[in-house]
Amino acid sequence: YQRRVHGYHCLEKFSAKETLTQENLWYCSKCKEHRAATKQVQLWSLPEVLVIHFKRFQYNKYWRDKIDQVIDFPVEGLDMSKYVVKPTENAIYDLFSVSEHYGGMGGGHYTAKVKGRNGQWYSCDDSSTSATSPSSTVSSAAYVLFYRRRGHNNKTTHNTHNHNNENNTSNENNTNNENNTNNDINGKDDMDLNEN
């Protein structure tokens, strides 16, 4: 039996303080010696598209292997507010794609799960594509996760709509200016003819 690990546990381990062991001691530039130290990785801000890469391969000087642990990550509503230093208004993400790896260290095969614009999830395997369920994305093959910040699509659509309105207004102004210019030219020609 293999215990399932939650994605939040991975994020906590990723951002936890790590003590550097004897094999990778920190070199102090002041005392010119290697010393025991701790390090910590933290996120300062969050992107619109968040990519999470699982460490599926482990190795040392004696052996290497692939980790087939099932990680139970959220398909919708990933909350990143606990893992970011800079305060942010929206830290909720929804999954839209998963890169998968089947096989081991000697060789393997990549597939993908993708969420379409219609909300339907699809399984992509080379030239073959078939509909699937959101729950199928959570498996031991999940390798790279692609999340989009919630509300990102609405923001993009809103900006595009405003941009189109600006273009339409600009085009109307240009048309009106052209008409006014043509009227001025026609008026000037009539005035010249009458003077003659």
Side-chain angles (χ1 to χ4, degrees):
Y1 173 76
Q2 191 179 50
R3 183 175 62 90
R4 294 171 71 95
V5 175
H6 201 279
Y8 286 119
H9 177 72
C10 297
L11 290 171
E12 290 169 3
K13 293 286 289 182
F14 174 78
S15 58
K17 289 184 178 180
E18 178 185 357
T19 302
L20 301 179
T21 61
Q22 190 68 30
E23 296 180 354
N24 56 350
L25 293 176
W26 173 69
Y27 180 75
C28 178
S29 58
K30 292 184 178 180
C31 58
K32 308 299 182 183
E33 293 182 4
H34 288 86
R35 295 185 175 275
T38 60
K39 72 173 184 178
Q40 184 178 19
V41 178
Q42 292 180 305
L43 301 176
W44 171 252
S45 61
L46 295 172
E48 293 298 331
V49 175
L50 177 68
V51 180
I52 297 178
H53 183 185
F54 290 143
K55 185 179 179 181
R56 285 294 185 190
F57 301 96
Q58 58 182 348
Y59 55 91
N60 56 31
K61 58 183 178 181
Y62 301 109
W63 57 273
R64 58 181 184 173
D65 193 17
K66 182 186 175 184
I67 304 173
D68 289 321
Q69 176 72 54
V70 177
I71 301 174
D72 190 11
F73 51 87
V75 176
E76 293 184 350
L78 173 66
D79 189 355
M80 293 293 296
S81 58
K82 287 178 54 179
Y83 311 101
V84 62
V85 177
K86 182 181 178 181
T88 180
E89 295 182 358
N90 184 7
I92 305 299
Y93 287 81
D94 297 318
L95 189 73
F96 70 91
S97 183
V98 179
S99 176
E100 303 168 318
H101 181 270
Y102 292 92
M105 298 295 295
H109 181 65
Y110 286 94
T111 59
K113 298 288 194 311
V114 181
K115 185 178 182 180
R117 293 184 177 181
N118 58 355
Q120 173 66 52
W121 279 90
Y122 297 93
S123 177
C124 305
D125 186 354
D126 291 338
S127 60
S128 175
T129 302
S130 59
T132 187
S133 63
S135 60
S136 68
T137 60
V138 182
S139 70
S140 61
Y143 189 26
V144 184
L145 312 181
F146 298 86
Y147 283 91
R148 181 181 290 111
R149 192 199 300 265
R150 184 170 292 180
H152 175 67
N153 281 345
N154 294 336
K155 180 179 179 182
T156 303
T157 304
H158 177 70
N159 290 338
T160 303
H161 179 69
N162 289 339
H163 182 66
N164 290 336
N165 288 340
E166 291 175 359
N167 287 338
N168 292 336
T169 304
S170 177
N171 291 335
E172 290 176 359
N173 290 335
N174 291 337
T175 302
N176 291 334
N177 290 336
E178 290 175 359
N179 291 336
N180 292 335
T181 302
N182 291 334
N183 291 335
D184 291 342
I185 293 174
N186 292 334
K188 185 177 185 299
D189 290 339
D190 292 340
M191 183 168 30
D192 290 340
L193 290 173
N194 290 334
E195 288 179 352
N196 292 333

Short mmCIF file of all heavy atoms in Angstrom, two decimals, residues 142-164:
data_model
loop_
_atom_site.label_atom_id
_atom_site.label_comp_id
_atom_site.label_asym_id
_atom_site.label_seq_id
_atom_site.Cartn_x
_atom_site.Cartn_y
_atom_site.Cartn_z
N ALA A 142 1.55 12.06 -13.14
CA ALA A 142 1.56 13.52 -13.17
C ALA A 142 2.97 14.04 -12.89
O ALA A 142 3.56 13.71 -11.87
CB ALA A 142 0.57 14.07 -12.16
N TYR A 143 3.48 14.86 -13.79
CA TYR A 143 4.87 15.31 -13.72
C TYR A 143 4.98 16.83 -13.61
O TYR A 143 5.65 17.36 -12.73
CB TYR A 143 5.61 14.79 -14.96
CG TYR A 143 7.11 14.98 -14.94
CD1 TYR A 143 7.80 15.06 -13.75
CD2 TYR A 143 7.83 15.03 -16.12
CE1 TYR A 143 9.18 15.22 -13.73
CE2 TYR A 143 9.21 15.18 -16.12
CZ TYR A 143 9.88 15.28 -14.92
OH TYR A 143 11.23 15.44 -14.91
N VAL A 144 4.31 17.55 -14.51
CA VAL A 144 4.32 19.01 -14.49
C VAL A 144 2.88 19.51 -14.53
O VAL A 144 2.10 19.10 -15.40
CB VAL A 144 5.11 19.60 -15.68
CG1 VAL A 144 5.18 21.11 -15.57
CG2 VAL A 144 6.51 19.00 -15.75
N LEU A 145 2.53 20.39 -13.58
CA LEU A 145 1.17 20.93 -13.49
C LEU A 145 1.14 22.37 -13.96
O LEU A 145 2.04 23.15 -13.66
CB LEU A 145 0.66 20.87 -12.05
CG LEU A 145 0.85 19.55 -11.28
CD1 LEU A 145 0.26 19.68 -9.88
CD2 LEU A 145 0.22 18.39 -12.03
N PHE A 146 0.08 22.72 -14.68
CA PHE A 146 -0.08 24.09 -15.18
C PHE A 146 -1.38 24.66 -14.62
O PHE A 146 -2.47 24.16 -14.94
CB PHE A 146 -0.11 24.10 -16.72
CG PHE A 146 1.16 23.61 -17.35
CD1 PHE A 146 1.37 22.26 -17.58
CD2 PHE A 146 2.16 24.51 -17.71
CE1 PHE A 146 2.54 21.80 -18.16
CE2 PHE A 146 3.35 24.06 -18.28
CZ PHE A 146 3.53 22.71 -18.51
N TYR A 147 -1.24 25.71 -13.80
CA TYR A 147 -2.39 26.36 -13.18
C TYR A 147 -2.55 27.77 -13.73
O TYR A 147 -1.56 28.44 -14.04
CB TYR A 147 -2.21 26.45 -11.66
CG TYR A 147 -2.46 25.16 -10.91
CD1 TYR A 147 -1.41 24.27 -10.66
CD2 TYR A 147 -3.73 24.85 -10.43
CE1 TYR A 147 -1.63 23.10 -9.96
CE2 TYR A 147 -3.95 23.68 -9.72
CZ TYR A 147 -2.89 22.81 -9.48
OH TYR A 147 -3.11 21.64 -8.79
N ARG A 148 -3.79 28.22 -13.83
CA ARG A 148 -4.09 29.60 -14.23
C ARG A 148 -4.79 30.31 -13.06
O ARG A 148 -5.68 29.74 -12.44
CB ARG A 148 -4.98 29.62 -15.47
CG ARG A 148 -5.32 31.03 -15.95
CD ARG A 148 -6.22 31.01 -17.18
NE ARG A 148 -5.52 30.52 -18.36
CZ ARG A 148 -5.77 29.37 -18.97
NH1 ARG A 148 -6.69 28.56 -18.47
NH2 ARG A 148 -5.10 29.01 -20.03
N ARG A 149 -4.36 31.54 -12.80
CA ARG A 149 -4.99 32.30 -11.72
C ARG A 149 -6.47 32.50 -12.03
O ARG A 149 -6.85 32.85 -13.15
CB ARG A 149 -4.31 33.66 -11.56
CG ARG A 149 -4.71 34.39 -10.27
CD ARG A 149 -4.40 35.87 -10.37
NE ARG A 149 -3.00 36.15 -10.58
CZ ARG A 149 -2.12 36.44 -9.60
NH1 ARG A 149 -2.52 36.48 -8.35
NH2 ARG A 149 -0.86 36.72 -9.90
N ARG A 150 -7.31 32.26 -11.03
CA ARG A 150 -8.75 32.37 -11.23
C ARG A 150 -9.12 33.82 -11.56
O ARG A 150 -8.68 34.75 -10.90
CB ARG A 150 -9.50 31.92 -9.98
CG ARG A 150 -11.00 31.91 -10.13
CD ARG A 150 -11.67 31.24 -8.96
NE ARG A 150 -11.39 29.79 -8.91
CZ ARG A 150 -11.87 28.98 -7.97
NH1 ARG A 150 -12.63 29.47 -7.01
NH2 ARG A 150 -11.58 27.68 -8.00
N GLY A 151 -9.94 34.00 -12.60
CA GLY A 151 -10.32 35.31 -13.04
C GLY A 151 -9.44 35.88 -14.12
O GLY A 151 -9.71 36.94 -14.65
N HIS A 152 -8.36 35.15 -14.48
CA HIS A 152 -7.42 35.65 -15.49
C HIS A 152 -8.09 35.78 -16.85
O HIS A 152 -7.87 36.75 -17.56
CB HIS A 152 -6.22 34.69 -15.59
CG HIS A 152 -5.24 35.03 -16.67
ND1 HIS A 152 -4.49 36.17 -16.64
CD2 HIS A 152 -4.92 34.40 -17.83
CE1 HIS A 152 -3.72 36.23 -17.73
NE2 HIS A 152 -3.98 35.16 -18.46
N ASN A 153 -8.94 34.81 -17.23
CA ASN A 153 -9.61 34.86 -18.52
C ASN A 153 -10.56 36.04 -18.62
O ASN A 153 -10.65 36.72 -19.64
CB ASN A 153 -10.39 33.56 -18.75
CG ASN A 153 -9.48 32.42 -19.18
OD1 ASN A 153 -8.35 32.66 -19.58
ND2 ASN A 153 -9.96 31.20 -19.08
N ASN A 154 -11.30 36.29 -17.52
CA ASN A 154 -12.24 37.41 -17.52
C ASN A 154 -11.51 38.73 -17.68
O ASN A 154 -11.96 39.62 -18.38
CB ASN A 154 -13.03 37.42 -16.20
CG ASN A 154 -13.92 36.20 -16.09
OD1 ASN A 154 -14.28 35.60 -17.08
ND2 ASN A 154 -14.26 35.82 -14.86
N LYS A 155 -10.35 38.84 -17.04
CA LYS A 155 -9.57 40.06 -17.14
C LYS A 155 -9.10 40.28 -18.56
O LYS A 155 -9.15 41.39 -19.10
CB LYS A 155 -8.38 39.99 -16.18
CG LYS A 155 -7.50 41.23 -16.20
CD LYS A 155 -6.37 41.07 -15.19
CE LYS A 155 -5.46 42.30 -15.23
NZ LYS A 155 -4.32 42.17 -14.30
N THR A 156 -8.65 39.20 -19.19
CA THR A 156 -8.16 39.29 -20.56
C THR A 156 -9.29 39.70 -21.50
O THR A 156 -9.13 40.55 -22.37
CB THR A 156 -7.57 37.95 -21.02
OG1 THR A 156 -6.52 37.59 -20.12
CG2 THR A 156 -7.02 38.04 -22.42
N THR A 157 -10.47 39.07 -21.31
CA THR A 157 -11.62 39.39 -22.16
C THR A 157 -12.03 40.84 -21.99
O THR A 157 -12.35 41.53 -22.95
CB THR A 157 -12.80 38.47 -21.81
OG1 THR A 157 -12.38 37.11 -21.94
CG2 THR A 157 -13.99 38.72 -22.72
N HIS A 158 -12.00 41.31 -20.72
CA HIS A 158 -12.39 42.69 -20.45
C HIS A 158 -11.44 43.67 -21.13
O HIS A 158 -11.88 44.64 -21.75
CB HIS A 158 -12.39 42.92 -18.93
CG HIS A 158 -12.72 44.33 -18.54
ND1 HIS A 158 -13.98 44.87 -18.70
CD2 HIS A 158 -11.95 45.32 -18.02
CE1 HIS A 158 -13.98 46.11 -18.29
NE2 HIS A 158 -12.75 46.42 -17.86
N ASN A 159 -10.13 43.38 -21.04
CA ASN A 159 -9.16 44.26 -21.67
C ASN A 159 -9.31 44.26 -23.18
O ASN A 159 -9.18 45.29 -23.84
CB ASN A 159 -7.74 43.83 -21.29
CG ASN A 159 -7.44 44.12 -19.83
OD1 ASN A 159 -8.08 44.97 -19.22
ND2 ASN A 159 -6.46 43.42 -19.26
N THR A 160 -9.59 43.08 -23.75
CA THR A 160 -9.78 42.98 -25.20
C THR A 160 -11.01 43.77 -25.63
O THR A 160 -11.00 44.46 -26.64
CB THR A 160 -9.94 41.51 -25.61
OG1 THR A 160 -8.80 40.79 -25.17
CG2 THR A 160 -10.06 41.37 -27.12
N HIS A 161 -12.07 43.70 -24.81
CA HIS A 161 -13.30 44.44 -25.14
C HIS A 161 -13.04 45.94 -25.11
O HIS A 161 -13.48 46.67 -26.00
CB HIS A 161 -14.38 44.06 -24.11
CG HIS A 161 -15.68 44.77 -24.34
ND1 HIS A 161 -16.49 44.51 -25.42
CD2 HIS A 161 -16.31 45.74 -23.61
CE1 HIS A 161 -17.56 45.28 -25.37
NE2 HIS A 161 -17.47 46.04 -24.28
N ASN A 162 -12.31 46.39 -24.08
CA ASN A 162 -11.98 47.81 -23.99
C ASN A 162 -11.12 48.26 -25.16
O ASN A 162 -11.29 49.34 -25.71
CB ASN A 162 -11.26 48.11 -22.68
CG ASN A 162 -12.20 48.00 -21.48
OD1 ASN A 162 -13.41 48.08 -21.64
ND2 ASN A 162 -11.64 47.83 -20.29
N HIS A 163 -10.19 47.37 -25.54
CA HIS A 163 -9.30 47.69 -26.65
C HIS A 163 -10.09 47.83 -27.95
O HIS A 163 -9.84 48.73 -28.76
CB HIS A 163 -8.24 46.60 -26.78
CG HIS A 163 -7.23 46.86 -27.88
ND1 HIS A 163 -6.35 47.91 -27.83
CD2 HIS A 163 -6.99 46.21 -29.04
CE1 HIS A 163 -5.59 47.90 -28.91
NE2 HIS A 163 -5.97 46.88 -29.66
N ASN A 164 -11.07 46.92 -28.13
CA ASN A 164 -11.89 46.99 -29.34
C ASN A 164 -12.72 48.27 -29.35
O ASN A 164 -12.91 48.90 -30.39
CB ASN A 164 -12.82 45.77 -29.42
CG ASN A 164 -12.05 44.50 -29.71
OD1 ASN A 164 -10.96 44.57 -30.28
ND2 ASN A 164 -12.59 43.36 -29.32
#
